[in-house]
């Protein structure tokens, strides 16, 4: 660890290689720096990894296998020629200290104090794991030839039973042995997926541009397709049908506006007679019915008629007014000049009768008997 820090070394001006040999001796420090602060006591600070799951005696919490600690390592004994080391570390969850040491006889670690091991042990032979050769069996293999022969026969029988399994494993691994073929197949699959993704992205972009959307679109699923197939949105009439109907209406319409009877002449006549403020039937003003001389109360007589005819016209107008006032039903009302008034204009009949009793016009200069509108 100290070597990785000595890439760029600074040598002071008073450094003498013959006298100081190294920078560590020049500074009077150990290459391991703080890790060697207790080296005089035979203790070295190392990074220790928990070999199995344990329970801390101080906080009763579980500490998993593989948790790392800064542990104090020191030698406490030997197993034959193999040294036994003890490790002391502080729990990261409490102030309790845990001590463990190596067990070379069983190739394991033993807890000395501060924790309890979580029992997860099994028989290696039952678990079909490779067993370590014991010391006594190893010594017997070295000294006894017959035991060595028997042991070799057992190993050969185990190999014959394991050959089919090993061949199957080799065949399965041989399919993945060609790196170039595997790489080509993988890259081909990636190119196909990339092409599909690009096509979907182009479709989404076209739909967003058409609908003027700025939100990201979700991937379409089969359930969405089935739901969309059940929904139908359509208008009662298509655009072409509406246009055809509109053209038909335009072609069947008259080129000229509807003719309306001018109401200006009747209004001027009423103003001359002083009846502009009286109620006039709306049909007479709007041109809904034909306006005759009787509606205006004008009676025409010939030049040879005398005062008797005038008196007769006045009496006739009075009788028609009285019959209208008393509610006598009349189908038609004869006028003095022979015109017939429709029965539906009862209000017009009463108005014309009242006017005929008060007004008499002399058309003695007229040469025809036709009705003046």
């Amino acid at each position: 660890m100290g070597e990785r820090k000595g890439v760029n070394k600074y040598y002071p001006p008073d450094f003498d290689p013959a006298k100081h040999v190294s920078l560590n001796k020049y500074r009077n420090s150990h290459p391991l720096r703080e890790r060697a602060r207790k080296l005089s006591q035979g203790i070295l600070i190392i990074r220790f990894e928990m070999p199995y799951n344990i329970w801390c005696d101080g906080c009763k919490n579980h500490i998993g296998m593989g948790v790392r600690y800064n542990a104090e390592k020191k030698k406490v004994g030997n197993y034959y020629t193999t040294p036994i080391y003890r490790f002391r570390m502080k729990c990261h969850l409490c102030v309790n200290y845990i001590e463990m040491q190596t067990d070379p006889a069983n190739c394991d670690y033993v807890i000395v104090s501060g924790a309890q091991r979580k029992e997860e042990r099994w028989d290696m032979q039952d678990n079909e794991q490779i067993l370590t050769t014991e010391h006594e069996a190893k010594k017997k293999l070295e000294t006894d030839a017959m035991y060595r022969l028997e042991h070799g026969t057992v190993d050969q029988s185990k190999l014959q039973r394991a050959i089919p399994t090993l061949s199957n494993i080799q065949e399965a691994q041989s399919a993945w042995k060609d790196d170039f073929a595997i790489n080509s197949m993988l890259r081909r699959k990636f190119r196909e997926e990339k092409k599909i993704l690009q096509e979907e992205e182009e479709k989404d972009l076209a739909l967003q541009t058409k609908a003027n959307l700025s939100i990201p679109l979700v991937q379409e699923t089969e359930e969405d397709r089935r739901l969309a197939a059940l929904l139908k949105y359509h208008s009662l009439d298509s655009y072409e049908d509406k246009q055809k109907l509109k053209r038909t209406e335009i072609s069947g319409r008259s080129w000229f506006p509807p003719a309306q009877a001018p109401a200006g002449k009747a209004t001027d006549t009423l103003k001359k007679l002083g009846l502009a403020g009286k109620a006039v039937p709306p049909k007479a003003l709007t041109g809904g019915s034909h306006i005759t001389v009787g509606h205006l109360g004008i009676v025409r007589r010939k030049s040879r008629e005398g005062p008797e005819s005038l008196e007769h016209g006045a009496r006739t107008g009075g009788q028609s007014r009285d019959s209208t006032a008393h509610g006598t039903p009349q189908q038609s009302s004869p006028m003095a000049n022979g015109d017939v008034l429709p029965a539906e204009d009862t209000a017009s009949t009463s108005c014309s009768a009242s006017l005929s009793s008060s007004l008499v016009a002399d058309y003695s200069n007229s040469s025809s008997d036709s009705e003046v509108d």
Side-chain angles (χ1 to χ4, degrees):
M1 190 173 182
E3 289 78 7
R4 67 181 178 83
K5 297 182 180 179
V7 178
N8 297 323
K9 297 180 179 179
Y10 171 73
Y11 292 91
D14 57 345
F15 175 76
D16 187 4
K19 178 181 178 180
H20 300 104
V21 181
S22 66
L23 289 174
N24 292 325
K25 288 186 178 181
Y26 172 80
R27 297 191 183 95
N28 195 19
S29 63
H30 196 274
L32 299 180
R33 303 294 189 274
E34 288 297 322
R35 293 173 54 195
R37 65 178 182 271
K38 295 183 180 181
L39 198 60
S40 60
Q41 305 173 14
I43 298 174
L44 179 66
I45 308 299
I46 65 167
R47 193 70 173 166
F48 181 79
E49 185 173 331
M50 193 64 64
Y52 42 74
N53 298 324
I54 64 172
W55 299 97
C56 179
D57 289 343
C59 57
K60 305 299 180 182
N61 287 321
H62 177 265
I63 299 175
M65 180 176 61
V67 180
R68 296 180 178 180
Y69 295 94
N70 292 330
E72 298 178 357
K73 173 186 175 184
K74 66 178 180 178
K75 183 179 177 181
V76 294
N78 288 321
Y79 175 74
Y80 295 100
T81 58
T82 305
I84 299 174
Y85 294 100
R86 182 172 293 180
F87 308 93
R88 186 173 184 267
M89 66 210 81
K90 181 178 175 295
C91 177
H92 66 287
L93 300 173
C94 62
V95 297
N96 181 45
Y97 279 88
I98 303 171
E99 291 187 2
M100 302 180 69
Q101 72 181 21
T102 59
D103 185 9
N106 299 317
C107 299
D108 201 359
Y109 287 85
V110 179
I111 298 176
V112 178
S113 63
Q116 294 180 1
R117 180 170 183 169
K118 184 178 180 181
E119 295 296 335
E120 292 180 344
R121 302 182 185 182
W122 58 86
D123 190 357
M124 297 179 66
Q125 186 174 1
D126 295 340
N127 201 25
E128 297 182 357
Q129 292 181 341
I130 299 176
L131 300 176
T132 57
T133 306
E134 296 181 359
H135 181 68
E136 296 178 358
K138 187 184 295 184
K139 185 183 291 186
K140 198 172 182 179
L141 285 172
E142 294 175 356
T143 58
D144 193 348
M146 290 298 294
Y147 183 77
R148 188 187 313 117
L149 181 60
E150 292 175 357
H151 194 274
T153 306
V154 174
D155 292 343
Q156 289 293 332
S157 62
K158 289 182 179 178
L159 177 61
Q160 294 297 327
R161 290 194 301 267
I163 283 177
T165 305
L166 294 175
S167 62
N168 293 334
I169 295 174
Q170 289 177 356
E171 290 178 1
Q173 291 179 349
S174 63
W176 303 95
K177 191 174 182 179
D178 192 358
D179 297 338
F180 178 77
I182 296 172
N183 190 17
S184 301
M185 182 177 64
L186 188 62
R187 290 173 65 86
R188 189 183 309 110
K189 182 179 179 181
F190 285 163
R191 283 195 296 268
E192 293 176 357
E193 293 180 355
K194 185 177 180 180
K195 186 177 181 180
I196 295 173
L197 292 176
Q198 288 179 353
E199 292 177 357
E200 293 179 354
E201 186 176 356
E202 290 176 358
K203 290 180 181 178
D204 294 345
L205 183 60
L207 182 59
Q208 289 177 341
T209 305
K210 181 179 180 181
N212 195 16
L213 297 176
S214 60
I215 58 176
L217 300 181
V218 183
Q219 187 69 23
E220 185 179 3
T221 59
E222 187 63 27
E223 184 179 357
D224 296 337
R225 295 189 186 96
R226 290 198 302 267
L227 183 60
L230 298 175
L231 301 177
K232 293 183 179 179
Y233 300 97
H234 61 86
S235 60
L236 298 178
D237 296 329
S238 62
Y239 177 76
E240 290 76 8
D241 295 339
K242 292 181 180 179
Q243 291 295 106
K244 188 181 296 184
L245 180 61
K246 187 179 294 185
R247 292 191 187 96
T248 304
E249 292 178 356
I250 294 174
S251 61
R253 190 186 304 166
S254 177
W255 290 9
F256 304 101
Q260 295 181 359
K265 295 182 179 180
T267 307
D268 295 338
T269 306
L270 292 176
K271 286 182 179 180
K272 291 179 180 179
L273 297 176
L275 300 176
K278 295 183 180 181
V280 181
K283 292 184 178 181
L285 297 178
T286 58
S289 62
H290 184 66
I291 301 176
T292 61
V293 179
H295 287 77
L296 300 177
I298 300 174
V299 179
R300 183 176 144 219
R301 66 178 179 82
K302 295 181 179 181
S303 59
R304 62 177 177 270
E305 291 179 356
E308 294 82 8
S309 61
L310 295 177
E311 293 177 0
H312 175 71
R315 287 195 301 270
T316 305
Q319 291 177 0
S320 61
R321 180 183 58 185
D322 295 340
S323 63
T324 305
H326 290 292
T328 303
Q330 295 180 0
Q331 297 296 329
S332 60
S333 177
M335 301 299 293
N337 56 358
D339 295 336
V340 178
L341 184 65
E344 58 183 5
D345 297 333
T346 56
S348 302
T349 304
S350 59
C351 179
S352 61
S354 61
L355 291 174
S356 61
S357 62
S358 59
L359 297 175
V360 175
D362 187 5
Y363 293 96
S364 57
N365 297 329
S366 61
S367 60
S368 64
D369 296 339
S370 61
E371 181 181 351
V372 180
D373 292 338

